[in-house]
Amino acid sequence: MSGADDSLFRSDGAEFHAGEDARGPWDPEALHGGAPAALIARAFERCDPRGGMRIARMSFELLRPIPFGPLTLHARMVRDGRRVQELAAELRAGEQQICRASALRVAEVPEGLPETPAQGRREEPMPGPEHASPVHFGLDGSDGRSFAAAMEMRALEDPHELGPARVWMRLGPALLDGEPASPLARLVATADFGNGISASLPFARFLFINADLAIHLHRPPRGEWIGLDARTLLDAGGSGLAECVVHDLDGPVGRSFQTLVVAPR
């Protein structure tokens, strides 16, 4: 197991402190959104867990750049129920709210249901990481430590080409105080790369920062490897959207969406 010094975050009482592996691509003094989103996913998993209930949807509104200073995180049950539960969380830097998140936990699909019609079946599994090529996806343009560098990445297509892409990722560092990330936290951390791997515009000339991250799951993820089949949609006068079919080694798990703020540098 990795030590606390090798973790994305370490705790100090009620506060969390990010390490260099959580650094993002857009601002050298800010975190990558996937790192704190994974920390929030961990809090959702531990918020009054209930047998027979699964997290089916999570959303994260990234209100401001997330700094390297002390952070506080609070998660709570908003609405309890036998079949549907609503959770909420907020991440703060001092008195400033910097990320607001929510989750929906629902009762598991029962056993013995009729087979899904062929036209309603999910996408085929992505070819596994053993069929992909190792790549360093460093949007930050740096050879130093960052969240992108903390990910082992394997691309199924040329990673230097703009447009849709399929990439496998495996988070290297522990998440908090030497504790490995759960499959759900790994999925959340990876899903925030959708806009980067499917970039439709050159990073050196344009910003395409995601203002949110929404994830819908039809089953719990399993294992360490998470795959993204990603594309970015842009229309002049509209808003940018990055969307992914999210996979683990057993096949599709769900979908993720990011609303993009697009501008010339």
Side-chain angles (χ1 to χ4, degrees), residues 1-10 17-23 32 34-35 38-39 42 144-153 169-183 185-187 189-190 193 223-224:
M1 178 183 293
S2 300
D5 290 343
D6 299 322
S7 303
L8 293 175
F9 295 92
R10 61 177 177 83
H17 298 263
E20 290 295 315
D21 287 334
R23 190 178 301 278
H32 191 290
L39 190 67
R42 175 186 181 273
R145 293 171 66 181
S146 68
F147 198 51
M151 285 279 189
E152 180 181 358
M153 301 190 187
M169 301 188 189
R170 179 165 62 179
L171 180 63
L175 178 56
L176 174 66
D177 296 340
E179 173 193 311
S182 69
R186 289 176 178 275
L187 183 146
T190 303
F193 280 91
E224 295 184 344

Side-chain angles (χ1 to χ4, degrees), residues 13-214:
E15 295 180 338
F16 299 94
H17 298 263
E20 290 295 315
D21 287 334
R23 190 178 301 278
W26 306 109
D27 181 341
E29 301 304 319
L31 309 187
H32 191 290
L39 190 67
I40 294 171
R42 175 186 181 273
F44 281 148
E45 289 183 289
R46 292 162 181 264
C47 184
D48 194 15
R50 201 79 53 85
M53 304 287 284
R54 299 294 184 193
I55 291 179
R57 188 262 295 156
M58 290 174 288
S59 63
F60 307 84
E61 296 177 27
L62 304 170
L63 305 173
R64 296 175 175 85
I66 301 174
F68 271 90
L71 303 172
T72 57
L73 171 60
H74 177 64
R76 62 190 176 92
M77 179 84 71
V78 175
R79 181 170 63 88
D80 199 355
R82 292 190 302 112
R83 295 186 177 89
V84 180
Q85 298 170 340
E86 183 183 358
L87 309 177
E90 65 172 6
L91 190 69
R92 287 183 173 270
E95 296 300 314
Q96 197 169 53
Q97 187 185 56
I98 53 177
C99 180
R100 183 170 57 234
S102 65
L104 204 64
R105 201 155 51 193
V106 302
E108 294 177 343
V109 176
E111 300 288 344
L113 295 184
E115 184 177 351
T116 303
Q119 62 270 26
R121 290 177 185 163
R122 294 178 286 275
E123 293 83 355
E124 291 297 317
M126 283 171 49
E130 68 276 11
H131 300 290
S133 301
V135 60
H136 171 69
F137 183 74
L139 270 184
D140 55 7
S142 169
D143 293 330
R145 293 171 66 181
S146 68
F147 198 51
M151 285 279 189
E152 180 181 358
M153 301 190 187
R154 299 185 185 181
L156 287 164
E157 289 86 23
D158 184 348
H160 304 294
E161 292 288 333
L162 295 176
R166 296 178 298 167
V167 178
W168 286 99
M169 301 188 189
R170 179 165 62 179
L171 180 63
L175 178 56
L176 174 66
D177 296 340
E179 173 193 311
S182 69
L184 183 68
R186 289 176 178 275
L187 183 146
V188 170
T190 303
D192 199 57
F193 280 91
N195 59 325
I197 67 169
S198 67
S200 296
L201 298 168
F203 176 76
R205 294 171 50 204
F206 293 92
L207 302 172
F208 37 93
I209 304 170
N210 62 300
D212 71 352
L213 171 65

